[in-house]
């Protein structure tokens, strides 16, 4: 494997280890060591024309193999996937057979960037929404930028177990998210009422489509069964709700949403989780400008909020920031794990 591609696979392996997927880490290393140019799948990876890291090439490759393992079309591959323990030679033998029998399928999967919808990030959205509800005393209309399948738009319909015996939400909810909240936690007894919810994505996935659901599930790391179960439960709920994410570019959509007059007595709550890094600078500037203009016109009865959980160069995890108008001061809310396992709240 050429140096830049190999080092990208190694960096992805380390990231998978940090995020609790030893299987995907070992798979990245195995592919880096043994993949050759005997199939279109191998050739495309070895001769990748772009920046392998920017294109998330290793996750495209792992997603392709997981999709095939899940599809039922290659039982020999499925047999070496979790819950089976990772056995290097057996996994390679299964991949070697699969890549010959299903080369077009595997090579085709490399065309698209990975797409995920990480349901446990709903925990951060809940905390930010409680903070906004406490400060404004108003119900919220929720607007999600880069919503994928829209699973986090229903954040207040899930149950949360937040560590130290604390919980939020209906004990009978069909989906429970475990997320350890530490630090200056938002007040759990703040009344929270969501009166509307909409989202956009440039490539929205339909939770009721088998193909879209299979695509999302294939990018979940195979040894992370609780992520998989959360995603399956959230997909079922979203499919039953009939809610769909609108296909739109983020800037045009935010400008359009903010062009509608604000409803007195309701706070407009815009949020985005792990989206900012994908937006071109011009799109980010247009979103910030639209929010600033709407924010300048916001009043205590028509407030506006923006919450982001994004990669910010800090560690561990990503940074959470809340901006609330009138005022418009950006408040750091703390840091959180990319898969929602923990949240370290700061003082808002
Ligand atoms: C890493 S995913 C995060 C999805 C979701 N926010 C979550 O946390 O699970 C990033 C999402 O941003 C969307 N996206 C990227 N650029 C976009 C744009 N210009 N306009 C709208 N959505 C965009 C992608 O299609 C993808 O669904």
């Amino acid at each position: 494997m050429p140096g830049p591609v190999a080092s990208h696979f190694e960096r992805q392996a380390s990231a998978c280890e940090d995020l609790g997927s030893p299987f995907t880490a070992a798979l990245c290393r195995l592919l880096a060591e043994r993949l050759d140019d005997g199939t279109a799948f191998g050739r495309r990876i070895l001769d990748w024309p772009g920046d392998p890291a920017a294109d998330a090439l290793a996750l495209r490759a792992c997603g392709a193999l997981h999709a095939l393992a899940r599809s039922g079309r290659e039982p020999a591959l499925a047999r070496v996937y979790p819950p089976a323990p990772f056995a290097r030679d057996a996994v390679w033998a299964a991949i070697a057979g699969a890549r010959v029998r299903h080369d077009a399928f595997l090579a085709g999967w490399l065309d698209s960037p990975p797409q995920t919808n990480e349901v446990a990030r709903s925990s951060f959205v809940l905390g930010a929404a409680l903070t906004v509800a406490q400060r404004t005393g108003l119900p919220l209309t929720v607007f999600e930028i880069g919503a994928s399948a829209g699973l986090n738009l229903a954040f207040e319909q899930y149950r949360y177990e937040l560590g130290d015996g604390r919980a939020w939400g209906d004990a009978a909810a069909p989906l429970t998210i475990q997320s350890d909240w530490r630090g200056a936690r938002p007040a759990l007894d703040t009344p929270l009422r969501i009166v509307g919810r909409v989202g956009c994505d440039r490539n929205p996935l339909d939770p009721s489509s088998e193909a879209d659901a299979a695509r999302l599930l294939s990018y979940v790391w195979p040894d992370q069964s609780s992520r998989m179960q959360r995603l399956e439960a959230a997909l079922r709920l979203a499919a039953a709700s009939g809610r769909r994410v609108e296909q739109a570019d983020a800037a045009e959509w935010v400008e359009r949403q903010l062009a509608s007059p604000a409803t007195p007595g309701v706070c407009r709550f815009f949020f985005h989780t792990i989206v900012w890094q994908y937006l071109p600078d011009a799109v980010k500037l247009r979103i910030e400008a639209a929010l600033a203009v709407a924010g300048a016109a916001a009043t205590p009865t028509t407030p506006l909020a923006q919450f982001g959980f994004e990669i910010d160069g800090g560690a561990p995890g990503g940074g959470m920031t809340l901006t609330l108008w009138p005022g418009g001061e950006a408040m750091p809310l703390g840091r959180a794990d990319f898969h929602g396992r923990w949240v370290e709240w700061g003082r808002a």
Side-chain angles (χ1 to χ4, degrees):
M1 190 174 264
V5 181
S7 46
H8 158 62
F9 271 68
E10 176 50 40
R11 272 196 299 278
Q12 185 61 60
S14 302
C16 291
E17 260 160 4
D18 290 348
L19 285 164
S21 181
F23 176 88
T24 312
L27 183 61
C28 287
R29 293 194 173 111
L30 186 63
L31 292 173
E33 186 190 298
R34 300 203 189 170
L35 208 57
D36 59 34
D37 61 4
T39 57
F41 179 62
R43 277 191 299 281
R44 285 198 67 190
I45 292 171
L46 268 44
D47 301 337
W48 193 254
D51 174 349
D55 295 339
L57 179 58
L59 294 183
R60 291 184 195 217
C62 293
L65 289 163
H66 192 199
L68 183 58
R70 287 179 46 80
S71 70
R73 294 167 60 199
E74 183 64 15
L77 185 63
R79 271 197 297 277
V80 297
Y81 262 60
F86 189 88
R88 258 178 110 61
D89 289 336
V91 172
W92 181 251
I95 291 175
R99 70 193 175 137
V100 173
R101 281 187 286 278
H102 303 282
D103 194 26
F105 175 93
L106 293 171
W109 258 75
L110 300 174
D111 285 341
S112 331
Q115 190 163 0
T116 51
N117 201 174
E118 186 51 64
V119 183
R121 290 180 192 145
S122 280
S123 160
F124 327 150
V125 182
L126 170 70
L130 286 171
T131 306
V132 171
Q134 186 178 42
R135 287 177 167 241
T136 63
L138 294 176
L140 273 50
T141 298
V142 172
F143 302 83
E144 184 177 4
I145 303 166
S148 195
L151 306 182
N152 294 336
L153 273 169
F155 67 95
E156 94 291 6
Q157 294 167 10
Y158 306 148
R159 164 94 170 163
Y160 296 85
E161 289 177 0
L162 301 168
D164 293 341
R166 285 179 314 257
W168 190 94
D170 186 348
L175 168 55
T176 297
I177 291 172
Q178 263 136 15
S179 183
D180 187 16
W181 282 16
R182 311 167 194 151
R185 306 168 184 101
L188 294 180
D189 54 358
T190 304
L192 180 63
R193 199 153 71 88
I194 307 300
V195 293
R197 66 189 90 227
V198 282
C200 79
D201 200 283
R202 72 174 169 192
N203 183 36
L205 295 180
D206 176 352
S208 66
S209 144
E210 249 181 62
D212 283 4
R215 184 171 155 71
L216 277 177
L217 287 160
S218 297
Y219 290 118
V220 175
W221 297 334
D223 48 352
Q224 300 195 320
S225 55
S226 49
R227 274 180 81 201
M228 198 84 81
Q229 284 155 11
R230 275 197 308 260
L231 181 54
E232 283 169 339
L235 280 166
R236 278 194 297 274
L237 286 172
S241 76
R243 186 181 62 248
R244 296 293 174 268
V245 170
E246 182 183 337
Q247 178 175 23
D249 181 67
E252 180 273 318
W253 185 81
V254 170
E255 288 166 351
R256 186 155 38 88
Q257 302 304 318
L258 288 170
S260 303
T263 306
V266 175
C267 177
R268 292 156 295 168
F269 176 72
F270 283 75
F271 76 91
H272 44 90
T273 60
I274 309 298
V275 173
W276 216 241
Q277 71 201 83
Y278 300 106
L279 303 180
D281 286 345
V283 170
K284 291 186 231 185
L285 287 172
R286 277 174 63 190
I287 294 173
E288 279 164 358
L291 285 165
V293 168
T299 67
T301 56
T302 58
L304 174 69
Q306 177 191 10
F307 169 66
F309 166 70
E310 298 292 348
I311 289 175
D312 60 354
M320 302 185 293
T321 307
L322 176 67
T323 309
L324 191 56
W325 293 268
E329 190 195 335
M331 298 172 269
L333 283 192
R335 305 200 68 77
D337 173 58
F338 292 116
H339 294 163
R341 293 170 298 180
W342 55 264
V343 186
E344 189 71 48
W345 294 102
R347 287 207 184 279

